[in-house]
Amino acid sequence: MSYAKLEQRFTQLHHFAHLGAICGWDRATMMPDGGNPARSAALAELSVLMHQRLTGPEMADWFAAAAEESLSASQQISLGEMRRQWQQATVLPEALVQAKSLAGSRCEHAWREQRKQNDWQGFLGNFREVVALSREEAQIRAAATGLRPYDSLLDLYEPGMNSARLDTLFGDLKSWLPNLIQQVTERQQHETLIQPQGPFPTAKQAELGKQVMQLLGFDFNRGRQDVSVHPFCGGVPSDVRITTRYDEADFTQSLMGIIHETGHARYEQGLPLDRLALPVGQARSMGIHESQSLFFEMQMARHPAFMARLSPLVSQTFGAQAALSSDNLARLYTRVEPGFIRVDADEVTYPTHVMLRYEVEQKLIEGALEAKDIPELWNLRMTDYLGLSTLGNDRNGCMQDIHWTDGSFGYFPSYTLGAMYAAQFAAALQRELGDFTTLLGSAEGLAQVFGWLQRHIWHPASSLGTDALVQAATGEALNAVHFRRHLEQRYLG
């Protein structure tokens, strides 16, 4: 049976991906600097091997034969997802896959120190090659799919999404978000805010993070948490790896970062065990993935009811002080203040960071912007959106994110799409189960929340397209009004 052969091949690819993910995690957390050349070569070789296995000449015959076989409805859906991954891979030549992997490894590894040194010119040396290879990939994919070059990369992360839809969504955001930011910042000027007094030892922050992960249902038998330059969630569902970074002067960012990555991890750990090796059993899209991390971080963790659960844990860890009361923590975690750093941004100003990156990378991939000119456009947009200048401050400007170092262009819109999905899921969940004020106040209520996510988001995995998944879970397609309503109720209500 050709369908069975395809399942075997994709299971093998899943195992290879597991090895690659753990090698990537180790490179970001524990590998000595001197190991990067050998690790980069090994990962590039693995990328080529996986590409060869996915695009072998026998695959076309297997897909053709499988289409004629008598398959169940679930197998037909699975076949469609395998075909989608195969078609995405077959358009790329093997040499380009290897070149992108090597260029990305060099750029990302050097970026770690170059960012610290605010060394844009040094970074540009590696980054130009990443951009050139990404543009080549975009042109190849565009020719094969009929999409715009940028949209062909966007489709890898958010299937079915395109620039036209994003322009509509972001255009709507721009029509009301600046006014909301102004209203909220003016209102919050009159709030009393107490800053926590440190230091907050890293070991204690790690201990607190583990307690909160346990509260949120993270399965430590199938995952772990470590430290890296840029927080991330990696590994595979049976072996999830999340990371954070610590600042002993401020525990608030690392703690919320852990909660964010735990949302990613719970999605991975909640995927269907009987389909984990197949595309149909894997995460639907990066927008849906980000919806889960942002559901945990923004919808749940910053809610006053969750802060009431969090406050005693924080006080037990660091010692009682007025700044750690639930009311003050809630004010700290809902403080709206324009800043340079995306990962530290509040949820009201956060979409501006995403729109900025979307506009830059779209122009970059489609040739309307050259890499050397990114700092100038970045500064212009930061000034327009948040009133901040990044001239001469590339470390906190266009060098702050890891995504572009390995050519992950088209990824950034997933963050704001995820925030919109998360708000819509939260609205639907509360219509069914009751208000978060009650649900988040008890272990039983949290279990109900996780159960809803398991049924509607985690277990379906990729058995439904993104639009169909959202429709099935909430009764309507993506509707950005839920995101606006959430922000207005939380910050102006």
Side-chain angles (χ1 to χ4, degrees):
M1 237 179 114
S2 293
Y3 176 79
K5 292 178 181 178
L6 288 168
E7 279 200 343
Q8 291 172 355
R9 178 61 54 86
F10 276 89
T11 298
Q12 182 186 59
L13 289 167
H14 173 70
H15 293 156
F16 287 163
H18 186 172
L19 296 176
I22 299 306
C23 283
W25 162 84
D26 176 74
R27 181 172 61 183
T29 57
M30 297 188 179
M31 186 191 77
D33 285 347
N36 191 61
R39 181 64 54 84
S40 297
L43 286 172
E45 192 73 27
L46 180 61
S47 296
V48 171
L49 176 60
M50 292 177 67
H51 186 73
Q52 290 172 339
R53 298 299 285 166
L54 184 54
T55 61
E58 69 279 3
M59 294 291 280
D61 294 335
W62 290 352
F63 275 110
E68 302 299 321
E69 293 173 354
S70 179
L71 303 178
S72 68
S74 62
Q75 287 175 325
Q76 289 173 359
I77 295 170
S78 179
L79 179 65
E81 284 299 302
M82 288 190 284
R83 185 188 302 278
R84 183 172 66 85
Q85 286 197 5
W86 170 68
Q87 289 173 333
Q88 287 177 339
T90 53
V91 300
L92 293 186
E94 188 177 297
L96 179 57
V97 173
Q98 184 174 37
K100 272 204 71 182
S101 179
L102 287 170
S105 293
R106 283 193 297 269
C107 189
E108 186 273 331
H109 190 71
W111 162 82
R112 300 183 202 180
E113 288 301 319
Q114 289 163 344
R115 186 198 171 194
K116 292 178 186 177
Q117 301 301 321
N118 196 37
D119 182 11
W120 169 253
Q121 290 303 318
F123 175 74
L124 199 56
N126 288 319
F127 185 56
R128 280 195 181 100
E129 183 181 6
V130 173
V131 172
L133 292 169
S134 297
R135 284 174 170 173
E136 182 180 349
E137 177 184 358
Q139 291 294 337
I140 291 171
R141 292 193 181 282
T145 61
L147 299 172
R148 288 175 53 178
Y150 178 77
D151 287 353
S152 73
L153 300 183
L154 175 64
D155 191 66
L156 298 174
Y157 302 104
E158 194 66 13
M161 186 55 64
N162 56 50
S163 297
R165 289 182 68 186
L166 284 177
D167 289 344
T168 298
L169 288 166
F170 290 166
D172 177 65
L173 267 178
K174 291 177 188 178
S175 74
W176 57 264
L177 188 60
N179 185 56
L180 178 64
I181 293 172
Q182 182 178 352
Q183 285 183 275
V184 176
T185 53
E186 288 177 356
R187 170 181 287 202
Q188 290 186 346
Q189 288 176 2
H190 306 290
E191 289 183 351
T192 300
L193 190 67
I194 309 172
Q195 293 296 333
Q197 299 301 304
F200 304 99
T202 294
K204 288 193 173 184
Q205 290 191 56
E207 173 191 332
L208 174 62
K210 185 174 182 179
Q211 291 181 62
V212 175
M213 290 168 69
Q214 290 172 330
L215 176 66
L216 294 172
F218 183 87
D219 182 358
F220 282 94
N221 191 47
R222 294 194 294 143
R224 56 179 288 142
Q225 190 262 325
D226 293 277
V227 178
S228 68
V229 175
H230 191 96
F232 68 90
C233 175
V236 294
S238 56
D239 186 8
V240 180
R241 308 297 176 96
I242 72 171
T243 69
T244 192
R245 57 189 176 199
Y246 297 107
D247 178 353
E248 294 202 340
D250 178 14
F251 74 91
T252 60
Q253 294 297 338
S254 65
L255 179 58
M256 202 54 70
I258 288 173
I259 293 173
H260 178 99
E261 300 303 337
T262 299
H264 280 303
R266 286 301 316 271
Y267 181 27
E268 289 288 320
Q269 292 181 337
L271 292 170
L273 293 174
D274 59 336
R275 291 174 279 156
L276 285 182
L278 301 177
V280 74
Q282 294 163 12
R284 173 62 267 168
S285 73
M286 287 316 305
I288 295 300
H289 226 309
E290 290 300 334
S291 80
Q292 298 309 284
S293 60
L294 294 172
F295 186 99
F296 272 57
E297 178 191 358
M298 300 301 186
Q299 298 295 323
M300 288 203 311
R302 295 176 195 262
H303 192 283
F306 192 86
M307 285 296 155
R309 301 283 302 276
L310 191 62
S311 176
L313 295 177
V314 177
S315 295
Q316 289 166 16
T317 302
F318 300 121
Q321 53 177 286
L324 305 184
S325 70
S326 60
D327 288 346
N328 193 68
L329 280 178
R331 287 192 291 272
L332 280 170
Y333 277 122
T334 54
R335 189 71 171 181
V336 174
E337 186 173 1
F340 293 107
I341 305 300
R342 176 187 61 83
V343 296
D344 294 340
D346 58 84
E347 66 176 328
V348 180
T349 61
Y350 191 99
T352 63
H353 291 268
V354 173
M355 290 188 289
L356 182 157
R357 287 155 176 79
Y358 164 65
E359 292 170 18
V360 170
E361 69 179 14
Q362 185 187 50
K363 290 179 182 295
L364 185 67
I365 291 300
E366 302 206 336
L369 177 73
E370 293 304 323
K372 66 181 178 63
D373 299 318
I374 289 176
E376 181 180 356
L377 179 58
W378 189 286
N379 178 65
L380 179 64
R381 291 291 180 264
M382 277 295 282
T383 303
D384 288 345
Y385 290 152
L386 294 174
L388 301 173
S389 172
T390 56
L391 283 177
N393 185 16
D394 299 316
R395 176 180 60 188
N396 293 324
C398 57
M399 290 182 69
Q400 66 182 268
D401 294 300
I402 196 172
H403 306 63
W404 289 345
T405 65
D406 69 353
S408 295
F409 298 103
Y411 187 110
F412 278 117
S414 301
Y415 289 112
T416 289
L417 289 171
M420 292 177 178
Y421 291 134
Q424 190 162 332
F425 293 150
L429 182 151
Q430 290 178 88
R431 285 198 304 270
E432 181 178 332
L433 301 179
D435 191 83
F436 271 161
T437 302
T438 300
L439 290 170
L440 302 183
S442 68
E444 295 77 10
L446 277 175
Q448 286 184 277
V449 171
F450 300 145
W452 191 95
L453 294 172
Q454 178 73 55
R455 291 190 303 275
H456 294 284
I457 312 299
W458 303 345
H459 192 266
S462 285
S463 63
L464 296 172
T466 304
D467 289 342
L469 180 74
V470 174
Q471 180 79 41
T474 69
E476 60 180 328
L478 175 61
N479 185 352
V481 72
H482 295 288
F483 182 55
R484 179 175 183 176
R485 186 177 297 146
H486 158 71
L487 293 180
E488 289 177 343
Q489 288 177 345
R490 173 169 285 177
Y491 293 92
L492 297 179

